[in-house]
Amino acid sequence: MRTHVEADDLGEDVRLGRPIQRVVSIVPSLTEAVAATAPGLIVGATAWCTHPPDLDVERIGGTKNPDTARIAAMQPDLVIANEEENRAADLDALRTAGVPVWVTRVRTLDEAFASLHRLLTSACGLERPEWLDQAQAAWTPVEGGLEQRRAIVPIWRRPWMVLGSDTFAGDVLARLGVANVYADHAERYPAIPLPELQAARADLVVLPDEPYAFSAEDGPEAFPGVRAALVSGRQLTWYGPSLVQAREVLARQLAGEARRSTAR
């Protein structure tokens, strides 16, 4: 197998063989992206890698606690990871075991499209897929017509945590006319006491169903008098084939839930 060196999103050199035939993914979004582009290339994935639904591969733990010894024993040509979702110690353990690790960095839609292109073409040696062109076209900026709403975006409760600064989900929402109240916070995912959230004068509270599974019965009641929108966490936070439909799905969920909340 011939090899060459490419730099990942963090600028780290990764020695890549050609052809890449066995990939282990420890990021759900990336698992779906590679599996949709080259079925059969993924041989291992985390328990949280739920898409595509029929993915039949070895499960190697979670994003925060992958079984690194087991992954190394599988002798993959490449492990794909993300600087936010995966722990540096686990990635270092894989590198020490001689496993090539490609790390992505995604905090905006533009970064997502560029990162996915490089992952699929430079790292995995694949042709750019049609779905990536479709996703990028779906998010072409639309001039005017967006209602601007100030929103709180919880991602957890007990304690309450929200989207802060420099997040992919925050950029997605901004493209849909939703301004994150905590977009200028010093932290990316700050813990904010509920009374402070209630006093923030938000027009809307956006409640995704992951990582915390907010629902109609669990979440809206904490924000009396504020419109609540229940949205798909996958559409809001995953970067991959879901981006083809994410704009349409999220716009519908934001508008539909807000109208129902207003009508009550």
Side-chain angles (χ1 to χ4, degrees):
M1 178 183 286
R2 61 186 178 86
T3 63
H4 73 290
V5 174
E6 294 274 359
D8 66 13
D9 288 0
L10 302 187
E12 298 292 332
D13 286 343
V14 183
R15 185 167 294 279
L16 299 162
R18 285 290 185 268
I20 297 291
Q21 296 177 311
R22 294 173 56 80
V23 173
V24 171
S25 172
I26 51 177
V27 182
S29 296
L30 303 183
T31 300
E32 183 181 21
V34 174
T37 306
L41 195 59
I42 298 286
V43 296
T46 74
W48 302 107
C49 294
T50 57
H51 287 74
D54 60 351
L55 184 68
D56 184 15
V57 299
E58 188 167 349
R59 301 294 172 163
I60 43 75
T63 57
K64 305 298 185 187
N65 60 345
D67 188 335
T68 55
R70 188 173 168 194
I71 294 172
M74 295 172 65
Q75 298 185 314
D77 299 320
L78 184 65
V79 169
I80 53 179
N82 176 263
E83 53 96 24
E84 176 179 314
E85 293 201 45
N86 306 120
R87 301 187 312 158
D90 293 322
L91 306 185
D92 288 341
L94 290 168
R95 295 186 185 103
T96 299
V99 178
V101 179
W102 182 277
V103 184
T104 61
R105 182 189 189 276
V106 174
R107 299 190 181 184
T108 67
L109 272 163
D110 290 341
E111 283 187 349
F113 295 133
S115 180
L116 287 165
H117 175 82
R118 295 187 65 245
L119 168 71
L120 297 169
T121 62
S122 297
C124 295
L126 303 171
E127 295 294 324
R128 180 181 170 94
E130 184 179 357
W131 66 257
L132 186 52
D133 292 330
Q134 293 171 345
Q136 200 155 2
W139 285 94
T140 300
V142 177
E143 297 297 329
L146 287 177
E147 175 191 358
Q148 295 296 313
R149 291 157 287 181
R150 296 179 71 254
I152 297 166
V153 191
I155 58 168
W156 204 258
R157 67 183 300 175
R158 306 182 190 94
W160 286 93
M161 299 176 67
V162 299
L163 289 185
S165 58
D166 196 26
T167 68
F168 174 75
D171 187 55
V172 167
L173 288 171
R175 306 283 187 111
L176 295 169
V178 177
N180 178 13
V181 169
Y182 291 96
D184 295 326
H185 197 280
E187 299 177 33
R188 299 183 66 221
Y189 302 103
I192 308 291
L194 182 58
E196 182 177 332
L197 295 177
Q198 293 170 332
R201 295 189 176 183
D203 304 313
L204 182 69
V205 56
V206 178
L207 298 167
D209 59 10
E210 64 175 71
Y212 185 91
F214 288 107
S215 68
E217 294 74 35
D218 186 356
E221 81 291 342
F223 301 92
V226 180
R227 295 181 298 169
L230 299 169
V231 303
S232 163
R234 176 169 171 265
Q235 302 292 344
L236 179 62
T237 64
W238 287 36
Y239 33 90
S242 60
L243 287 173
V244 175
Q245 300 295 331
R247 185 174 192 161
E248 177 185 346
V249 171
L250 290 171
R252 185 170 64 247
Q253 290 174 333
L254 290 166
E257 293 302 325
R259 281 198 297 270
R260 282 196 288 273
S261 295
T262 302
R264 285 200 293 267

